[in-house]
Amino acid sequence: MGQKVHPIGFRLGGLYNWSSRWFFSDKKRYRETLISDLKIREVLREKLSFAAVTQIEIERAINKITLIIHSVKPGVIIGKGGKGLEEIKKMIEPILKKTEKGRDIKIDIKIEQVKKPYLSAYYVAQWIAERLIKNLPHRSVVHLAMNKVMESGAKGVKVQLGGRIAGAEISRREKYFQGTIPTSTMREEIDFASYPALTRSGYVGVKVWICK
């Protein structure tokens, strides 16, 4: 079961809340709003890659949208006198114009600091991917990442690499474990993320499971 079910989707409503919180009964507006959320996340992750953003939550009301950005370096996003927040609003406004169609929408942005970044699966997957792109030895990179996760207080961690690892002729998958990862147990808080690493030989997929 652990390999067939998304670890976070499996626990939605119990341990985890939805990353997009809104509802529209109109099917067309529902579809457009969902695409808008995906575009907002894509733009923000690209523009704020220097700040190690781990999660973006979106809450929508009738005339208001709230963005909760979880970052390892919140001060870098905010900038001097809140200039960074104004830039984020300017980036989002063109995307919202397509879905809101002339309505005046108030944009509220909240920045939350990730105090233990190595307990975030997305941050760890990104950390490993960045080092694989630099052509560092994959085994030492993965073991170093897993050690940092366990030192942060995790019960267990699993890392899977897939692709032409270390420039091999044939693609393969490699799995690494430390501690316990009970993926089928609903009451266990397990964070999961995947991140692509574009190496010289092609893409290497990085998947990370962390049992908090």
Side-chain angles (χ1 to χ4, degrees):
M1 179 182 271
Q3 294 180 1
K4 298 183 183 75
V5 181
H6 194 285
I8 294 173
F10 186 51
R11 294 165 175 81
L12 270 177
L15 284 173
Y16 294 109
N17 201 353
W18 283 259
S19 55
S20 289
R21 295 185 283 277
W22 46 264
F23 180 79
F24 299 117
S25 57
D26 179 18
K27 288 183 180 179
K28 188 180 179 184
R29 194 177 173 201
Y30 194 101
R31 182 175 69 242
E32 289 173 349
T33 310
L34 178 61
I35 293 167
S36 171
D37 279 10
L38 292 171
K39 285 182 179 176
I40 287 169
R41 286 196 177 92
E42 187 182 345
V43 167
L44 290 181
R45 284 198 190 279
E46 187 182 336
K47 298 290 183 182
L48 304 175
S49 57
F50 57 87
V53 173
T54 60
Q55 189 183 5
I56 299 167
E57 296 178 74
I58 300 173
E59 293 178 353
R60 289 179 188 256
I62 297 167
N63 292 317
K64 184 181 176 183
I65 180 169
T66 304
L67 297 176
I68 304 166
I69 302 171
H70 298 261
S71 171
V72 178
K73 304 170 186 175
V76 180
I77 297 175
I78 297 165
K80 288 184 179 179
K83 283 184 180 178
L85 299 180
E86 293 301 321
E87 287 177 9
I88 292 170
K89 286 180 182 178
K90 286 177 184 176
M91 284 188 272
I92 295 165
E93 279 169 0
I95 301 169
L96 292 176
K97 279 179 184 177
K98 293 178 183 177
T99 54
E100 302 304 333
K101 294 174 183 176
R103 284 187 300 168
D104 188 25
I105 300 293
K106 185 185 175 186
I107 302 170
D108 187 21
I109 300 170
K110 297 176 183 177
I111 311 294
E112 291 194 8
Q113 186 177 9
V114 179
K115 292 180 180 177
K116 291 186 176 180
Y118 287 101
L119 289 181
S120 167
Y122 187 87
Y123 178 80
V124 175
Q126 189 180 31
W127 189 91
I128 293 169
E130 284 172 357
R131 279 145 187 81
L132 293 180
I133 292 166
K134 292 175 183 175
N135 209 23
L136 294 173
H138 66 282
R139 285 191 181 91
S140 60
V141 167
V142 170
H143 285 297
L144 179 61
M146 289 197 301
N147 289 336
K148 289 187 175 185
V149 170
M150 295 302 286
E151 285 168 10
S152 297
K155 285 184 182 178
V157 56
K158 179 169 84 170
V159 178
Q160 178 181 296
L161 304 180
R164 291 180 62 187
I165 302 165
E169 289 289 324
I170 300 169
S171 65
R172 65 182 190 275
R173 280 191 297 174
E174 289 187 7
K175 292 181 182 179
Y176 303 88
F177 298 88
Q178 268 194 38
T180 58
I181 299 284
T183 46
S184 303
T185 311
M186 286 187 72
R187 64 177 175 270
E188 286 290 352
E189 189 180 351
I190 293 179
D191 195 12
F192 169 78
S194 59
Y195 196 91
L198 182 55
T199 64
R200 292 177 186 176
S201 309
Y203 276 106
V204 173
V206 182
K207 290 183 178 181
V208 177
W209 293 257
I210 295 174
C211 179
K212 296 182 182 181

